[in-house]
Amino acid sequence: MATIAFIGLGNMGGPMAANLAKAGHTVKAFDLSPKALETAAEQGCQVAESAQHAATGADFVISMLPAGKHVQGLYVTGEQPLFDLLGNDALVIDCSTIDAETARSVAAAGAEKGVGFIDAPVSGGVGGAQAGTLTFIVGGTDAQFQKAQPILECMGKNIFHAGDHGAGQIAKVCNNMLLGILMAGTCEALNMGVKNGLDPKVLSDIMKQSSGNNWALQVYNPVPGVMDGVPASRDYQGGFQVDLMFKDLGLAMEVSQQSASATPMGSAARALFNLHKAAGHGSLDFSSLIKLYQDAE
Ligand code: NAD
């Protein structure tokens, strides 16, 4: 069993750390939020007073943070960068969704200090994090991938090696651009059906068995009351925030621009989430996009 520092215990990191503790690993957990630390302690993690405290002597450091600047600050540019205190046997597994360029530059900074770093963003949402069924998409060397695999298996079901450093983030951003497009399309179709007198549950059941079937319809229906246990049925609290989807669509647009790839649908989805965010809904789950389509009551 390993000693694992876990930094970032939010909607995703909290349940992921809990699954590592449940598997028998020693998990030293840190987050800026005292409430997140309280929950982690209830789930069998040891609470650390700082990220540095958590990482000292750890075999693995896992981070699940909002964006690239947080990851860079933690390992490279902050006051006490973790790369300065980790041993050469330690492996850093960053599961946050960040830009590939930052992932590559942080990996290179780690390599200079003799510390391994891989990007391992995830898919599967909060439900997948709780159930331990996440998909991990890893960018790093073969040896780093093999070393991380048994740890990732405690939190996920499908573990993919996408390629070298940064490749995990590129694959993740392709996936999330598609997810943003699918959620927008699902909201659009459901709203049109409801406005024409259909019951959203009946329409969802029809489309799930038809050619419009997709992940949002299957496990993340955006209309309140259609599905139990999803953010739509708890006022869009928890889940995957509009702010984070907007960030991911921005990352997709950067990749699109750098590679001159045509992404008109991704660009339209970003514009829709931007409007929704500007209306004050940034902290709601991303399935709340349906509010943008609904008539004002
Ligand atoms: P969240 O906002 O719920 O959690 C982020 C946590 O990081 C917060 O608890 C915050 O206090 C903590 N934090 C921020 N800076 C910190 C620092 N310097 N030190 C310690 N803790 C710090 O976000 P989330 O939904 O858990 O998402 C985390 C990452 O996972 C994001 O990159 C997101 O894009 C990605 N992601 C989220 C989902 C989802 O469904 N929520 C799915 C896949 C990927």
Side-chain angles (χ1 to χ4, degrees):
M1 286 297 150
T3 299
I4 303 171
F6 205 112
I7 319 294
L9 307 160
N11 289 326
M12 295 295 286
M16 289 165 71
N19 281 330
L20 288 168
K22 211 185 296 168
H25 295 293
T26 300
V27 181
K28 296 185 177 173
F30 178 71
D31 193 289
L32 298 175
S33 146
K35 189 162 180 294
L37 289 174
E38 213 176 284
T39 309
E42 286 163 14
Q43 304 282 342
C45 300
Q46 294 176 18
V47 167
E49 65 198 37
S50 67
Q52 290 72 21
H53 193 247
T56 303
D59 303 309
F60 294 90
V61 180
I62 302 181
S63 41
M64 194 49 163
L65 296 168
K69 63 180 178 192
H70 306 97
V71 174
Q72 201 163 33
L74 181 66
Y75 297 110
V76 190
T77 55
E79 259 177 41
Q80 288 178 282
L82 295 195
F83 281 158
D84 285 353
L85 58 86
L86 287 168
N88 285 359
D89 288 341
L91 179 65
V92 173
I93 304 174
D94 179 44
C95 298
S96 329
T97 303
I98 67 172
D99 60 289
E101 203 38 57
T102 298
R104 288 188 202 107
S105 74
V106 174
E112 266 179 33
K113 306 248 174 186
V115 183
F117 172 98
I118 58 173
D119 42 307
V122 306
S123 179
V126 174
Q130 288 165 341
T133 57
L134 289 170
T135 295
F136 284 88
I137 313 166
V138 175
T141 66
D142 285 340
Q144 289 168 336
F145 177 72
Q146 277 159 25
K147 189 168 174 177
Q149 213 165 2
I151 301 299
L152 300 182
E153 278 166 0
C154 301
M155 302 178 282
K157 197 170 62 169
N158 298 301
I159 324 287
F160 290 103
H161 189 186
D164 209 346
H165 298 106
Q169 297 295 355
I170 298 282
K172 166 70 184 169
V173 108
C174 291
N175 180 75
N176 271 29
M177 183 178 77
L178 181 56
L179 174 63
I181 294 166
L182 289 173
M183 182 56 84
T186 300
C187 290
E188 208 161 297
L190 284 170
N191 183 61
M192 185 165 77
V194 169
K195 279 200 81 169
N196 283 277
L198 291 180
D199 177 327
K201 184 164 183 349
V202 172
L203 177 57
S204 297
D205 286 344
I206 292 167
M207 294 197 294
K208 272 197 288 187
Q209 298 303 326
S210 305
S211 42
N213 187 19
N214 69 75
W215 186 87
L217 276 177
Q218 276 174 349
V219 302
Y220 220 94
N221 199 293
V223 179
V226 170
M227 210 174 249
D228 288 336
V230 293
S233 294
R234 46 171 195 268
D235 286 332
Y236 302 104
Q237 299 302 310
F240 182 43
Q241 292 169 21
V242 169
D243 281 342
L244 291 176
M245 175 50 96
F246 181 65
K247 171 203 67 166
D248 289 0
L249 289 167
L251 295 177
M253 293 304 98
E254 281 171 27
V255 173
S256 145
Q257 183 155 3
Q258 285 154 9
S259 55
S261 311
T263 53
M265 301 287 282
S267 172
R270 181 166 186 266
L272 289 168
F273 279 99
N274 195 6
L275 280 174
H276 189 47
K277 178 178 158 63
H281 300 306
S283 64
L284 297 184
D285 178 74
F286 82 120
S287 62
S288 66
L289 186 75
I290 196 152
K291 287 174 183 283
L292 195 67
Y293 293 87
Q294 290 164 335
D295 294 333
E297 283 168 17

